[in-house]
Amino acid sequence: MQAHQCPLYSKLSIDRQSIQMASKTYPALKFTDFWTRKQKTLFKRLDADGDGFFTKADYDANAEQVIKYGCLVGEQADTLRQLMKAHWPAVSGGNNDLKVGLETFLMMTKKLASLSVQDPTILKKSISGRFDRIDLDGNGVISLAEHDAFFQALGIDKDKSRPVFEKINKTCDGKISREEYTSAHLDFSLSEDPENEYADIFGPLDAE
């Protein structure tokens, strides 16, 4: 996968609102070994305690890790906790006793991905919710520091954050927009191309 190179014009002031992310279509998924490997990596990141299941305890632990690495205190920390709490029903279907193993997780992600190839609305909504939880100061963009905190909260080395951040930040202005973030995460979920540059947006893929 080639690293994203910022063009010369990125040195100039860019009107973010004037940049339209290209609309992209995806072929029907075959759920290749590469696609499965990406989803297994994501599951491992979400399974905070490493017990082989994703639960509300993992979800809450991730929030506390973001607070820790994002250096959030007081009202900022409480705001993130409330945001995570508000999003939990969308993740769990309202089930506080949710306990999802890897095989169930793969089945769920396959179903969502298959539907999203035709209509990405639900997947985009999920991605947008994740964007809001990473945008710790709520200013509508993700800074490198916020992206670093997100990576560290998932147990990924901080030094892996910047290369991914720079690939997603196509405008090269040091801030990831919602459009840039959504485009990259759609590729992660719906592309089966091993050369796709966004395969590692949740950190290096686990060994096969």
Side-chain angles (χ1 to χ4, degrees):
M1 290 174 287
Q2 294 183 343
H4 172 61
Q5 298 295 321
C6 290
L8 182 61
Y9 64 76
S10 68
K11 303 296 184 182
L12 306 176
S13 175
I14 300 174
D15 179 1
R16 299 183 65 85
Q17 299 303 318
S18 70
I19 296 174
Q20 300 295 323
M21 293 296 154
S23 178
K24 188 170 184 178
T25 59
Y26 298 89
L29 290 166
K30 298 178 181 178
F31 303 115
T32 61
D33 289 346
F34 178 71
W35 183 91
T36 301
R37 186 181 170 201
K38 289 192 294 180
Q39 306 311 315
K40 286 181 176 180
T41 299
L42 174 56
F43 179 81
K44 183 176 179 180
R45 304 287 185 249
L46 297 175
D47 178 18
D49 60 11
D51 68 349
F53 294 94
F54 173 67
T55 65
K56 190 173 187 298
D58 294 309
Y59 183 81
D60 292 341
N62 177 256
E64 294 306 314
Q65 290 295 92
V66 171
I67 288 168
K68 172 185 174 180
Y69 290 112
C71 301
L72 305 183
V73 296
E75 185 176 343
Q76 276 190 314
D78 290 340
T79 296
L80 180 64
R81 290 189 182 102
Q82 289 301 314
L83 184 62
M84 296 288 282
K85 181 179 179 180
H87 189 70
W88 173 249
V91 174
S92 67
N95 180 10
N96 285 338
D97 297 320
L98 182 76
K99 189 174 183 180
V100 175
L102 175 59
E103 293 307 315
T104 301
F105 178 79
L106 290 175
M107 180 183 68
M108 294 167 62
T109 53
K110 284 179 180 180
K111 182 176 181 180
L112 177 58
S114 293
L115 293 172
S116 297
V117 166
Q118 300 299 323
D119 180 5
T121 302
I122 296 176
L123 182 54
K124 284 183 176 180
K125 185 176 180 180
S126 175
I127 293 170
S128 185
R130 190 182 305 131
F131 178 94
D132 290 335
R133 298 193 299 276
I134 300 173
D135 176 19
L136 300 179
D137 60 9
N139 68 346
V141 293
I142 296 172
S143 67
L144 177 57
E146 289 169 334
H147 194 266
D148 286 349
F150 167 66
F151 258 43
Q152 290 175 287
L154 291 178
I156 309 167
D157 291 341
K158 181 180 176 181
D159 62 1
K160 305 294 186 185
S161 172
R162 181 182 286 274
V164 172
F165 180 92
E166 291 178 347
K167 283 191 291 189
I168 297 175
N169 180 212
K170 292 297 188 186
T171 56
C172 304
D173 60 358
K175 297 171 286 187
I176 295 176
S177 70
R178 190 179 299 273
E179 292 78 11
E180 289 171 329
Y181 188 84
T182 299
S183 178
H185 282 257
L186 283 174
D187 266 18
F188 177 87
S189 296
L190 302 180
S191 172
E192 296 185 295
D193 178 6
E195 297 302 316
N196 185 278
E197 65 180 326
Y198 298 125
D200 61 350
I201 57 175
F202 288 103
L205 298 183
D206 284 354
E208 297 184 70

